[in-house]
Amino acid sequence: MILRTASDTQAPAGFGSHVKLERMAAQAIMDQDFLAAFKYADRRCRVGPSAAHCFVLRAEANWRLERSDAALADLAGALLVDPSDLAANRRMLAWATGDRRRSAAASLISRDSNPAILRAAIEELRRAGDRHWTACSVFDNHVTGWVAWTKANKIEVSLAFENGSLTNTLEPNSFHPLAGMEIQATAFLVRRPPSDAPQTLTLTCGDETIHVRRLAPNLSPPPGVRAGARQSTAPRFDVTAPTVIVPVYRDVQATLDCFDSLIKARASSGGQPFRILAVDDATPEPNLRRYLKELAAAGTIDRLVNETNLGFVGAINRALEALPTGDVVLLNSDTIVPPGFVERLAAVARSTPDIGTVTPLSNNGDIFSFPTPNDLNPMQSYERILEIDRIAHIANAGDVTDVPSGIGFCLYITRDCLAAIGGLSDNFERGYLEDVDLCLRARAGGFRNVCAPSVYVGHHGSKSFRHEKRRLVLRNLEILDRRFPDYRRECRAFEVADPLRPARAKLDRALPWPSEPSVLILGNRRSFAAVAEERARHLRERGKRAILLLRERDTVHLRAADGSSPQTVRLSFDTDAAIADTADTIARLHPDRAEIIEPNPLPQLVALLRKFGVPVNPWVTAADLGEAVIALGDETPFLASGKAARAFAKARWPNRKIVLKDWPTLPLTLPRVRGARRSLAIVPSAPSPASFRLIRSLAEHLGRREPSRSIVVAGKTSDDDRLMSYANVFATGAVTAGEIGDVLAPHRPGWLLTDFESPAFGHPLVEAARRASIPVAYRDWSAGSIKPRKRDLAIPTDADDCELAEAVIAWIERSRP
């Protein structure tokens, strides 16, 4: 598809427009041009935040190109973004097998309205053993929906509200679109009386409860009555110390571990012990019911029992109603807590009267995560959690950091805050973001949300309903956006500023680090990072502990490649104190050698390593090496990752010893294609003005000689839009070495050009491309000392852009059948 000509000097066509790419992909599918559809959809998935429908477009193209595995992987990606996406679930139901097909069917049951799709979903779930299915929509004045079942029993629908309940018996309707020979079905509509309290909808089939849903209040409370302050018939406890509220539903072992840690923490309390209130939210696990009952009978905990499952919000609010005084801690049942955690959270909360909520650090707590924020850091053992917490208590004693909101995996809330804003909102579906809403309401009421980095709590995360988490988050996020439209932007600003980084770094430094020897890898965050990561991977495969030291200007970021400490420490050389601290840090890493990946490491860092007697091994990764590397002296050999790197280094530094240490590299396997539609694939090492100019020159030359021949750039360039204004060029967007084969295959590449700008020895993309199963052209950095493979093209290093383009085009013309 031609959007602009090569001679057009006006603004580029705007391939960067997300909507335009999506429209072109959809149109190509309608035109049955599935290769074009893949190109546009694939680029759309790579150039910016992708909604589920972007992956569905690529899945459709892949499926039509008979790439079923890739299509199913795309559908999985779409459902990871939005598990409720209809198009993704419909295709998963049609294309997949086994658990993925059944999961799609279950999702469609509650969201699709197409009778044919619903019948297919019901049939799939019936084969899996299900016997009843239902879906409903909730409105202020009524609930409407449908129910289908196989047994002869009649269906009862009940609406429980504050002052009573309404129950109706549903008769099967043989004319319902879902009814059949073995399936009974009917629609239902239930009127909702006005109420400022939550209501509960329940459907039963005989003695079996088949659906329970908690409905948000449909009447605003009268002025002066706060949310969550309704009168309750639940028992009230004489609370003078903080109460830890733990809703319990599933996850037997995680819950047992949680209560065991809670009881140990309370036993070690030096002052008045906190209370533990377990809310049995109609758990279907007999072992959990029995365990909680025994603890309550022994007086170890207090216990509330919900007759029906109320979800996180309902369980917490019922507990809050039973607690008229005292601070509270909302705690997930899949957490492990250390001794003293309540007392230390309380101390922070009471340090100033304007603090409303306090959240600790955790392995799995979004912005509160340690060592890496917004990441699922591994859950630690009980002993390790206690060790991290003990050190956090020392390293971050007295530290308090303001945050946009807390998170309910462990959220301390003061009584003053609760009295002012009430409990959790009933407008959120179970388990996600209602805690954020509470914190934002608290802040609007003049209270601060803070983090106490001196407390650390272990958190498994999302064990109760992990497959529904994404759907719940997306659904509830829409509600949160309407209430607090600036919240997401504030969160992004917080993540960029990262005010918790100093606290994480102090804790990271204070923790004991592994004592085994390590290999230090000196790289650069802006360039050569991919090469450094690749080298760390090689070392880890050989059982070596690798520490990445990635420079960003005059600061060095430390990260253990295996995820252990350190992860957040930074080194600098701007003051004598900083240099001394850097020296101490290097000593703690127990380096047995250092490998230099970037050509221009910090001279101060190299000098410090040599002062410690650490062997320094520079790798030849680029055409030139900086002063700090050259100054190492002739006795220090240069390391080469392959024969081309060794040949180049010998010619460039003839007096230096060059040692070959081949890196393991998987070749790029591409299907052999024939015919006029073969394209030229280009794999640049990184975006740069030089590579952009060369690709542009090649496009212009090829456009004049072979207008029908296309170029596909596997990667990102310095100006994708301008390159793609040429009729014969398409850029995929950023790719990794592991996926480049799947990305290129639909483009039918017959030739490949890589390693053409400047040497990029050891770069995973370039090294894989150099070994592609199709003919490859490259600059011959070995100066002719290495014979190219049959059908490959070794281009002289002194060829300019025009000469290189002519050589590549002549090579393509010679190899045509």
Side-chain angles (χ1 to χ4, degrees):
M1 182 177 293
I2 298 176
L3 298 183
R4 289 198 180 253
T5 65
S7 60
D8 195 338
T9 59
Q10 298 180 6
F15 274 88
S17 167
H18 297 169
V19 174
K20 193 166 192 173
L21 285 168
E22 293 165 17
R23 288 176 176 171
M24 289 191 294
Q27 184 61 52
I29 289 174
M30 293 178 62
D31 296 340
Q32 298 191 26
D33 187 351
F34 304 121
L35 173 58
F38 172 83
K39 290 164 55 178
Y40 299 132
D42 181 63
R43 176 170 172 80
R44 173 62 188 91
C45 290
R46 295 177 186 281
V47 297
S50 296
H53 65 267
C54 304
F55 291 98
V56 173
L57 281 171
R58 191 168 67 180
E60 185 70 28
N62 272 320
W63 186 261
R64 301 298 186 93
L65 291 169
E66 299 183 353
R67 288 158 44 96
S68 57
D69 289 345
L72 292 174
D74 280 334
L75 292 183
L79 294 175
L80 184 64
V81 175
D82 183 1
S84 63
D85 186 80
L86 283 180
N89 278 299
R90 285 175 172 179
R91 285 163 175 78
M92 193 69 87
L93 178 65
W95 299 346
T97 58
D99 291 342
R100 292 192 293 188
R101 181 182 174 93
R102 286 188 289 273
S103 178
S107 181
L108 290 167
I109 287 293
S110 59
R111 295 170 187 85
D112 212 318
S113 58
N114 186 309
I117 299 293
L118 289 173
R119 285 194 293 269
I122 287 174
E123 180 58 27
E124 176 64 27
L125 295 173
R126 190 173 73 86
R127 286 196 295 267
D130 288 4
R131 294 294 177 264
H132 33 67
W133 310 269
T134 186
C136 64
S137 299
V138 179
F139 303 92
D140 285 345
N141 299 321
H142 65 280
V143 180
T144 184
W146 60 263
V147 58
W149 67 102
T150 59
K151 297 180 181 179
N153 303 44
K154 293 181 179 179
I155 300 293
E156 285 192 346
V157 56
S158 173
L159 182 71
F161 45 90
E162 195 170 26
N163 299 317
S165 64
L166 298 172
T167 301
N168 291 322
T169 300
L170 304 178
E171 298 288 342
N173 179 2
S174 58
F175 295 101
H176 192 276
L178 301 181
M181 293 294 293
E182 299 180 0
I183 303 293
Q184 302 178 83
T186 190
F188 64 85
L189 186 148
V190 179
R191 299 290 181 184
R192 297 183 61 190
S195 173
D196 62 355
Q199 301 169 347
T200 302
L201 179 76
T202 305
L203 278 80
T204 57
C205 181
D207 296 330
E208 186 176 2
T209 299
I210 63 176
H211 184 73
V212 178
R213 182 162 178 177
R214 184 177 173 88
L215 313 180
N218 57 354
L219 183 66
S220 299
V225 178
R226 62 176 178 85
R230 297 178 296 275
Q231 295 296 316
S232 172
T233 58
R236 295 186 178 274
F237 307 106
D238 180 19
V239 177
T240 56
T243 299
V244 178
I245 303 173
V246 187
V248 175
Y249 185 60
R250 285 194 183 274
D251 306 324
V252 177
Q253 189 57 54
T255 303
L256 296 182
D257 293 342
C258 175
F259 277 92
D260 183 56
S261 71
L262 267 173
I263 294 167
K264 290 178 180 177
R266 185 173 61 181
S268 65
S269 175
Q272 185 176 16
F274 57 85
R275 289 178 175 268
I276 303 172
L277 173 57
V279 184
D280 180 347
D281 197 20
T283 174
E285 305 284 357
N287 290 341
L288 276 184
R289 287 199 304 270
R290 182 169 57 254
Y291 175 73
L292 296 179
K293 187 176 181 180
E294 291 172 355
L295 290 180
T300 306
I301 66 170
D302 295 309
R303 173 172 169 254
L304 283 174
V305 180
N306 296 334
E307 294 182 3
T308 60
N309 180 259
L310 302 181
F312 183 80
V313 173
I316 291 295
N317 281 345
R318 183 163 185 240
L320 293 177
E321 291 172 356
L323 300 169
T325 60
D327 299 347
V328 301
V329 181
L330 309 187
L331 187 70
N332 281 12
S333 63
D334 59 351
T335 56
I336 298 293
V337 297
F341 85 106
V342 172
E343 292 84 348
R344 283 179 279 139
L345 292 175
V348 171
R350 295 164 186 166
S351 61
T352 63
D354 61 346
I355 291 179
T357 73
V358 188
T359 307
L361 294 180
S362 175
N363 62 294
N364 181 7
D366 296 335
I367 63 172
F368 303 96
S369 292
F370 172 84
T372 308
N374 298 298
D375 198 2
L376 301 179
N377 299 287
M379 179 65 169
Q380 305 293 329
S381 66
Y382 178 72
E383 292 74 18
R384 179 63 173 167
I385 290 170
L386 265 58
E387 180 184 34
I388 296 174
D389 175 73
R390 177 182 60 80
I391 296 173
H393 180 36
I394 299 171
N396 292 321
D399 286 0
V400 177
T401 303
D402 282 272
V403 295
S405 71
I407 298 180
F409 73 90
C410 180
L411 184 67
Y412 190 104
I413 312 173
T414 67
R415 177 53 56 177
D416 286 346
C417 181
L418 286 171
I421 67 167
L424 300 179
S425 170
D426 288 297
N427 290 310
F428 290 90
E429 196 167 345
R430 67 171 194 245
Y432 292 99
L433 299 182
E434 64 288 310
D435 48 356
V436 173
D437 173 81
L438 181 143
C439 292
L440 294 179
R441 286 188 285 121
R443 191 174 63 173
F447 292 93
R448 294 163 57 199
N449 302 304
V450 302
C451 173
S454 58
V455 183
Y456 177 88
V457 169
H459 180 211
H460 287 286
S462 308
K463 292 176 71 67
S464 293
F465 36 93
R466 65 179 63 189
H467 299 298
E468 295 184 70
K469 174 180 178 179
R470 183 69 179 173
R471 179 184 65 81
L472 294 169
V473 168
L474 291 172
R475 187 261 188 195
N476 290 346
L477 194 56
E478 294 178 1
I479 301 173
L480 195 69
D481 283 341
R482 291 194 294 270
R483 292 187 173 190
F484 303 97
D486 295 330
Y487 174 67
R488 280 208 255 188
R489 183 168 60 252
E490 184 180 1
C491 285
R492 286 192 291 271
F494 183 92
E495 291 172 8
V496 171
D498 197 6
L500 282 170
R501 193 204 69 80
R504 291 197 308 272
K506 284 194 291 185
L507 175 55
D508 206 3
R509 285 180 178 275
L511 287 170
W513 294 356
S515 58
E516 66 262 34
S518 65
V519 179
L520 308 185
I521 302 175
L522 279 59
N524 191 297
R525 296 191 83 184
R526 297 185 180 274
S527 58
F528 299 93
V531 185
E533 295 276 3
E534 181 73 356
R535 181 55 181 162
R537 184 178 69 81
H538 297 161
L539 292 169
R540 290 196 64 200
E541 288 177 351
R542 292 163 50 190
K544 299 287 187 180
R545 173 169 160 79
I547 308 292
L548 290 161
L549 283 74
L550 302 180
R551 179 172 66 90
E552 188 172 27
R553 296 189 176 91
D554 293 332
T555 301
V556 177
H557 300 250
L558 263 65
R559 179 164 60 83
D562 61 1
S564 63
S565 292
Q567 291 291 322
T568 61
V569 173
R570 297 181 184 179
L571 307 178
S572 63
F573 299 85
D574 52 354
T575 66
D576 290 342
I579 294 173
D581 180 71
T582 295
D584 291 341
T585 302
I586 295 295
R588 292 186 62 193
L589 296 172
H590 306 289
D592 60 10
R593 72 176 186 274
E595 297 186 357
I596 301 177
I597 298 296
E598 72 156 319
N600 292 293
L602 282 176
Q604 304 97 313
L605 178 57
V606 176
L608 182 61
L609 292 171
R610 298 190 73 190
K611 181 180 178 181
F612 282 163
V614 177
V616 178
N617 305 130
W619 287 91
V620 177
T621 57
D624 293 298
L625 298 177
E627 180 182 344
V629 175
I630 298 299
L632 289 173
D634 293 343
E635 71 279 4
T636 301
F638 291 168
L639 306 182
S641 59
K643 293 180 180 179
R646 180 180 62 177
F648 177 86
K650 281 185 174 181
R652 181 73 174 81
W653 299 282
N655 298 324
R656 183 77 69 161
K657 181 180 179 182
I658 311 298
V659 178
L660 175 63
K661 290 183 176 291
D662 270 314
W663 286 8
T665 303
L666 293 176
L668 171 58
T669 302
L670 290 167
R672 300 295 294 271
V673 294
R674 298 185 179 278
R677 292 187 61 192
R678 286 183 294 172
S679 65
L680 169 64
I682 299 179
V683 181
S685 60
S688 72
S691 64
F692 170 83
R693 288 192 299 268
L694 191 145
I695 296 170
R696 182 179 61 184
S697 175
L698 187 55
E700 291 171 348
H701 282 71
L702 191 63
R704 289 192 294 266
R705 297 270 287 273
E706 294 193 59
S708 63
R709 184 77 62 200
S710 63
I711 295 173
V712 55
V713 181
K716 183 179 179 181
T717 73
S718 58
D719 193 341
D720 284 3
D721 278 353
R722 189 161 295 280
L723 276 180
M724 291 173 65
S725 67
Y726 290 81
N728 58 347
V729 179
F730 191 88
T732 66
V735 298
T736 64
E739 64 182 352
I740 190 172
D742 288 336
V743 172
L744 281 178
H747 293 270
R748 296 175 54 85
W751 308 269
L752 191 149
L753 170 64
T754 191
D755 206 7
F756 53 84
E757 177 192 347
S758 61
F761 304 121
H763 192 289
L765 271 174
V766 171
E767 296 294 348
R770 283 283 298 265
R771 295 163 175 78
S773 58
I774 61 176
V776 179
Y778 54 87
R779 287 195 189 270
D780 184 10
W781 306 113
S782 74
S785 63
I786 299 178
K787 185 178 179 180
R789 301 180 307 176
K790 185 180 180 181
R791 297 187 302 153
D792 282 359
L793 175 65
I795 304 169
T797 58
D798 58 356
D800 61 22
D801 289 355
C802 182
E803 292 169 336
L804 185 145
E806 288 293 344
V808 170
I809 293 171
W811 170 62
I812 291 174
E813 291 175 340
R814 288 195 305 271
S815 60
R816 286 183 302 181

